Amino acid sequence: MKTLLIDQIESELGTICLVVDGGKLCALDFADYSDRMLKLLTAHFGPVDLVAATDPGGFSSQLRDYLSGNFDIINHIPTNPGGTAFQQQVWSALRQIPVGTYWTYGQLAAHLGKPGAARAVGLANSKNPISIVVPCHRVIGANQSLTGYAGGVDRKRWLLEHEGVDCNRIGNRRPSGGSNKKAGSNTMVQPSLFDA
């Protein structure tokens, strides 16, 4: 069983969980999506044992700095997201989208040299295990809608606005169907995720 370090920080977006392996961030998700996070970690590592730690790798402090407005700091956090070769290409490209900007899924696919692969790019984006640091929130729908964020559209809007994007110019349309959890939910990770 793989042992990983986990920390939680409180934020305006709710409780955020960070998981670290060998000095690299391998997961970052919201506590109310801890089941998704655990599923992605298991797909990457097999069975995992999450051990509570304080500021592993200094990443919790760096995330707090980002949330306080030091946007550049997340560009220097080393990551280990796992995934297929194509997913890794997509996730690497996400880190190239500048702060304060956004791309459509089609633009991201074109950037990768695969202009017809917007759906595949969207699927890879949805499997991103490292929210915020691998900024999948900077990708929007072709119709300029704020869609496709695993943490919920309200959180996506908050992150984009935090980074300086005027969401009144984009994303006025809400995606139809599905449900998104409201930003600010403070649901805690189930205690069973932590080592006793």
Side-chain angles (χ1 to χ4, degrees):
M1 183 174 288
K2 179 75 170 173
T3 299
L4 304 171
L5 303 178
I6 187 169
D7 194 12
Q8 293 186 34
I9 67 168
E10 297 302 322
S11 76
E12 291 183 51
L13 296 169
T15 305
I16 299 174
C17 301
L18 301 93
V19 180
V20 176
D21 174 46
K24 292 186 178 180
L25 189 64
C26 57
L28 189 154
D29 218 327
F30 302 98
D32 50 333
Y33 287 87
S34 61
D35 289 345
R36 174 187 180 275
M37 181 183 74
L38 193 55
K39 181 178 178 183
L40 292 173
L41 284 170
T42 302
H44 181 185
F45 293 106
V48 296
D49 180 25
L50 299 178
V51 177
T54 302
D55 200 13
F59 302 143
S60 302
S61 294
Q62 291 173 356
L63 183 62
R64 284 186 188 96
D65 286 348
Y66 163 84
L67 293 169
S68 295
N70 181 0
F71 304 123
D72 184 55
I73 199 158
I74 63 171
N75 296 333
H76 307 290
I77 295 176
T79 61
N80 176 13
T84 66
F86 178 71
Q87 288 172 332
Q88 289 177 14
Q89 279 186 308
V90 171
W91 299 335
S92 177
L94 289 172
R95 296 191 87 180
Q96 297 170 34
I97 303 172
V99 171
T101 65
Y102 54 86
W103 293 353
T104 64
Y105 293 100
Q107 287 172 311
L108 184 57
H111 176 78
L112 292 168
K114 302 175 188 303
R119 286 186 189 267
V121 163
L123 183 59
N125 210 33
S126 73
K127 302 289 186 189
N128 172 22
I130 307 175
S131 268
I132 303 173
V133 173
V134 177
C136 52
H137 61 274
R138 296 181 191 154
V139 184
I140 65 170
N143 66 355
Q144 301 290 296
S145 65
L146 299 182
T147 185
Y149 190 63
V153 173
D154 290 332
R155 286 181 172 132
K156 182 172 191 162
R157 177 180 296 276
W158 189 96
L159 288 164
L160 286 169
E161 289 176 348
H162 177 62
E163 294 179 351
V165 172
D166 181 359
C167 286
N168 291 322
R169 298 185 66 193
I170 62 164
N172 286 328
R173 291 173 232 131
R174 299 272 182 187
S176 59
S179 65
N180 289 301
K181 296 190 179 189
K182 187 176 179 183
S185 171
N186 282 321
T187 306
M188 297 298 288
V189 173
Q190 297 297 321
S192 61
L193 288 178
F194 293 97
D195 198 32

